[in-house]
């Protein structure tokens, strides 16, 4: 079908909001009627700045809602959105598509490709890829796509899947995803499904991406092409059967590293060994055991689509959450003295001490949500405040030097370069964070809100919580999300953070005790502050 569509397509009523978004060509393309999926069904697929849904049967109570039909429509709608954003004719746009190892990935890839082709854009299918690689496909000279789509649901269970979108400005924002889904509501799947998938091109993106990462390691270590700068280092990788297996045979091994003991490298969307998630305890235990058993200098673990990572030191100590932020910040600090590090709200007072008192940096403890911390990082740099790193405790970390892209593999490259340099000086990687105070006691409590208007009720709880804390004379540092209490002196030392969940009718509370026994004392303080909320279930705090 041409980019102008056909005259037999009819406008849907009411349609006025979409008319404001589109030119005449777009209007003709959008005038496809569907009765299969409602607008509400499509909008429910939005998860922040991503699209997520159930793509496979097999889990009771979780009916499939991310269907091939939905992906056909969403693919076509993304083409229309991108055409409007770039002001280019659709037949002059190129969009790349990649996927992780999920079982539903190939079928959804075909569906998205058909939708894009039917809208009139050129499609290049990249096969097994990573989320960061799909953004880099817009940057690389050999590809230079106008937009890209990654089919992934990150660390979620095998039956889930989703879509992430990129253009030259990076990942789409929340409002962009809403616009794409609203556009897709006007499209008729019957008019899309006949698209010829053979019209798509094919490109081995993961090879280009791996070459990019190899060059970064060589540059960091002053090595030339063909050198083996990682010779003498033993690095173990756990891919969890996600999309990161290439890191071993396309990056580490060609540069001379010993990777014996690496595990679960083969892509398998049933995830038979453990969930590919650095925050998962079983996953972390697996890489810790592999690192110690094989006498490795470093262990690396990635999530399914490789935009997150964590590490393990030679003695099996895990480097995640606060520690991975501290590690990356310490590596960057000499090149960015006095700079600002942006983190999410649940980072520890221990991290603030390390960043500010040890490294001489500024810690901006901001909000949950990887897009939130990255956008704050961009805002600070645009305003003249040097901010080389924005990172969540989940392992999402974006570097200014790397297009503000949350790229787990690139973070791993920074650790590997630091490891190699430390080894030359007779040191270990843990020397970077030897002055980070250890975690002693912590707890997370999730309070379910039973009120129908849960956001309003949660706001009232936070207001009362803050008033009670103020009345008791507790120290409340500036907080961009929820209410934070800091206890640096006295009988109980540590911190408490109460906030609203980003999406759910839940109020999480994080508590960390600085010394043995402090957690229980802080829980008692929290119990007093949380008393009397009739529509909030705080029973887990007892």
């Amino acid at each position: 079908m041409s980019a102008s569509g056909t005259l037999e397509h009819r406008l849907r009523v009411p349609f006025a909001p979409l008319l404001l978004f589109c030119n005449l060509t777009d209007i003709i393309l959008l005038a496809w009627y569907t009765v299969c999926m409602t607008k509400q069904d499509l909008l429910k697929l939005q998860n922040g700045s991503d699209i997520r849904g159930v793509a496979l049967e097999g889990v009771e109570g979780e009916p499939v809602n991310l269907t091939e039909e939905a992906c056909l429509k969403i693919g076509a709608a993304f083409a229309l959105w991108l055409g409007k954003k770039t002001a280019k004719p659709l037949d002059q746009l190129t969009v790349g598509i990649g996927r992780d190892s999920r079982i539903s990935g190939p079928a959804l890839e075909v569906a998205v490709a058909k939708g894009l082709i039917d809208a009139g854009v050129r499609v290049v299918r990249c096969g097994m890829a990573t989320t960061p690689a799909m953004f880099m496909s817009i940057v690389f000279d050999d590809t230079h796509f106008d937009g890209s789509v990654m089919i992934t649901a990150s660390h979620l269970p095998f039956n889930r899947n989703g879509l992430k979108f990129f253009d030259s400005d990076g990942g789409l924002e929340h409002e962009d995803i809403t616009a794409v889904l609203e556009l897709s509501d006007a499209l008729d799947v019957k008019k899309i499904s006949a698209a010829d998938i053979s019209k798509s091109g094919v490109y081995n993106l993961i090879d280009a991406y791996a070459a990019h990462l190899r060059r970064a390691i060589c540059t960091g270590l002053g090595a030339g092409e063909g050198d083996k700068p990682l010779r003498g280092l033993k690095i173990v990788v756990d891919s969890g059967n996600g999309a990161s297996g290439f890191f071993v045979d396309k990056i580490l091994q060609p540069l001379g590293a010993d990777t014996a003991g690496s595990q679960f490298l083969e892509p398998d969307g049933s995830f038979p060994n453990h969930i590919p998630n650095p925050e998962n305890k079983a996953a972390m235990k697996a890489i810790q055991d592999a690192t110690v058993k094989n006498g490795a200098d470093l262990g690396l673990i990635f999530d399914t689509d490789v935009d997150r990572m964590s590490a393990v030191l030679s003695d099996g100590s895990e480097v995640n959450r606060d520690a991975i932020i501290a590690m990356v910040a310490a590596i960057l600090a000499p090149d960015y003295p006095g700079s600002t590090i942006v983190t999410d709200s649940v980072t520890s007072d221990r991290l603030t001490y390390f960043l500010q008192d040890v490294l001489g940096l500024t810690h901006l403890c901001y909000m949950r949500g990887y897009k939130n911390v990255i956008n704050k990082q961009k805002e600070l740099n645009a305003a003249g405040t040097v901010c080389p790193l924005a990172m969540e405790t989940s392992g999402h970390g974006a570097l200014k030097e790397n297009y503000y892209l949350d790229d787990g593999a690139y973070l791993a490259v920074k650790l590997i370069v630091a490891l190699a340099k430390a080894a030359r000086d007779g040191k270990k990687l843990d020397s970077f964070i030897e002055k980070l105070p250890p975690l002693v006691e912590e707890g997370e409590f999730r309070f379910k809100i039973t009120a129908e208007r849960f956001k309003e009720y949660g706001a009232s709880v936070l207001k009362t919580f803050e008033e009670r804390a103020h009345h008791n004379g507790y120290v409340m540092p500036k907080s961009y999300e929820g209410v934070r209490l800091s206890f640096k002196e006295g009988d109980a030392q540590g911190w408490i953070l109460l906030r609203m969940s980003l999406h759910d009718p839940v109020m999480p509370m994080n508590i960390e005790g600085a010394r043995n026994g402090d957690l229980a004392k802080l829980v008692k303080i929290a119990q007093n502050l949380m008393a009397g909320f009739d529509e909030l279930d705080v029973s887990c705090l007892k």
Side-chain angles (χ1 to χ4, degrees):
M1 191 187 77
S2 69
S4 61
T6 64
L7 294 178
E8 68 191 41
H9 295 150
R10 295 174 298 168
L11 291 177
R12 184 174 183 179
V13 179
F15 208 64
L18 291 178
L19 295 181
L20 296 175
F21 186 87
C22 305
N23 57 32
L24 180 59
T25 300
D26 289 337
I27 291 170
I28 295 172
L29 273 169
L30 283 168
W32 299 338
Y33 181 71
T34 179
V35 295
C36 298
M37 292 191 71
T38 67
K39 181 177 181 178
Q40 196 63 28
D41 290 334
L42 288 164
L43 290 176
K44 284 181 179 178
L45 295 173
Q46 180 162 6
N47 182 56
S49 56
D50 300 335
I51 287 172
R52 298 256 179 102
V54 178
L56 289 176
E57 300 282 2
V59 177
E60 186 176 354
E62 296 188 9
V64 172
N65 61 353
L66 185 63
T67 62
E68 292 178 43
E69 170 197 327
C71 288
L72 282 164
K73 291 150 64 74
I74 293 168
F78 177 59
L80 299 175
W81 181 91
L82 189 63
K84 184 69 176 181
K85 170 87 180 282
T86 60
K88 287 184 178 181
L90 294 178
D91 59 5
Q92 293 183 24
L93 292 175
T94 300
V95 176
I97 307 176
R99 56 180 170 81
D100 66 18
S101 60
R102 292 174 182 279
I103 298 168
S104 57
L108 297 189
E109 176 189 343
V110 169
V112 173
K114 284 185 175 182
L116 290 162
I117 292 168
D118 195 75
V121 306
R122 175 175 176 261
V123 171
V124 178
R125 297 169 65 191
C126 301
M128 185 73 64
T130 73
T131 293
M134 292 314 302
F135 170 76
M136 294 304 295
S137 71
I138 297 173
V139 175
F140 291 150
D141 291 336
D142 289 347
T143 48
H144 205 56
F145 299 153
D146 298 285
S148 62
V149 185
M150 178 65 182
I151 301 171
T152 181
S154 187
H155 61 281
L156 294 181
F158 79 96
N159 65 323
R160 307 294 184 91
N161 216 326
L163 306 174
K164 294 185 178 182
F165 301 90
F166 296 97
D167 66 6
S168 59
D169 293 327
L172 270 61
E173 300 291 342
H174 181 280
E175 59 270 22
D176 300 325
I177 299 299
T178 302
V180 169
L181 290 173
E182 288 180 341
L183 288 169
S184 69
D185 177 53
L187 305 182
D188 184 354
V189 65
K190 294 179 182 178
K191 300 293 184 182
I192 305 174
S193 57
D196 185 358
I197 194 66
S198 67
K199 292 181 180 178
S200 60
V202 177
Y203 183 75
N204 190 338
L205 177 64
I206 209 67
D207 278 359
Y209 178 61
H212 159 70
L213 295 176
R214 288 198 305 273
R215 285 192 296 271
I217 292 174
C218 289
T219 299
L221 295 175
E225 186 175 351
D227 289 348
K228 305 285 186 181
L230 302 184
R231 182 176 285 132
L233 295 178
K234 189 161 191 176
I235 302 173
V236 170
V237 174
D238 186 320
S239 291
N241 304 108
S244 63
F246 75 95
F247 202 88
V248 171
D249 63 343
K250 295 182 184 295
I251 298 174
L252 295 177
Q253 290 176 354
L255 295 181
D258 180 351
T259 61
S262 293
Q263 58 192 15
F264 316 139
L265 304 181
E266 289 298 318
D268 184 342
S270 65
F271 307 134
N273 295 290
H274 60 70
I275 296 173
N277 180 8
E279 291 189 290
N280 179 268
K281 290 183 179 180
M284 282 303 300
K285 179 69 163 54
I287 184 60
Q288 286 175 294
D289 290 347
T291 301
V292 174
K293 178 181 178 181
N294 292 280
D297 301 293
L298 175 66
L300 297 170
I301 184 168
F302 301 93
D303 73 340
T304 318
D305 61 325
V306 202
D307 59 0
R308 294 189 294 129
M309 62 81 63
S310 285
V312 172
L313 300 175
S314 58
D315 64 356
S317 300
E318 59 185 74
V319 186
N320 62 357
R321 297 181 62 79
D322 291 324
I324 192 64
I325 299 172
M327 176 77 75
V328 179
I331 292 168
L332 295 172
D335 294 327
Y336 301 93
S339 60
T340 295
I341 306 298
V342 179
T343 72
D344 59 358
S345 61
V346 296
T347 48
S348 171
D349 287 356
R350 298 178 298 112
L351 180 64
T352 301
Y353 163 78
F354 180 76
L355 294 178
Q356 299 190 166
D357 293 15
V358 177
L359 299 181
L361 306 176
T362 296
H363 180 202
L364 178 56
C365 188
Y366 194 52
M367 299 172 65
R368 293 275 282 180
Y370 71 96
K371 289 291 289 183
N372 289 329
V373 295
I374 293 173
N375 286 342
K376 189 63 176 180
Q377 178 190 29
K378 291 179 179 179
E379 175 190 319
L380 289 172
N381 280 296
T385 298
V386 178
C387 179
L389 174 67
M391 196 163 186
E392 275 197 308
T393 49
S394 65
H396 276 290
L399 297 179
K400 178 178 180 288
E401 69 182 54
N402 189 43
Y403 305 95
Y404 298 105
L405 176 63
D406 51 323
D407 184 344
Y410 193 86
L411 287 176
V413 163
K414 300 297 286 188
L415 263 64
I416 290 165
V417 170
L419 171 67
K421 288 181 175 180
R424 292 175 183 175
D425 296 334
K427 298 180 180 179
K428 292 186 176 182
L429 192 60
D430 55 2
S431 63
F432 283 93
I433 55 172
E434 60 187 2
K435 294 183 180 179
L436 174 69
L439 171 65
V440 179
E441 295 181 329
E442 67 174 343
E444 179 174 272
F445 308 88
R446 299 178 66 82
F447 311 136
K448 185 175 180 180
I449 300 174
T450 57
E452 184 175 347
R453 298 168 65 89
F454 67 88
K455 291 185 178 180
E456 291 87 343
Y457 188 80
S460 70
V461 170
L462 285 172
K463 184 174 184 295
T464 302
F465 181 83
E466 183 175 18
E467 290 171 350
R468 292 174 177 177
H470 178 75
H471 177 75
N472 281 278
Y474 299 142
V475 175
M476 288 181 283
K478 181 176 177 59
S479 179
Y480 292 87
E481 183 176 43
V483 179
R484 189 179 183 109
L485 311 180
S486 183
F487 301 84
K488 295 185 177 180
E489 298 176 352
D491 186 49
Q493 295 183 20
W495 56 272
I496 298 173
L497 173 67
L498 177 68
R499 60 185 174 86
M500 277 291 299
S501 169
L502 291 177
H503 307 294
D504 303 319
V506 171
M507 299 192 75
M509 175 179 277
N510 294 87
I511 305 179
E512 183 174 317
R515 306 163 303 185
N516 288 322
D518 279 339
L519 178 62
K521 296 173 184 177
L522 292 173
V523 166
K524 288 188 178 298
I525 291 173
Q527 288 172 342
N528 292 330
L529 295 174
M530 298 301 296
F533 295 114
D534 295 337
E535 295 183 277
L536 189 69
D537 182 2
V538 297
S539 58
C540 62
L541 198 58
K542 297 178 181 179

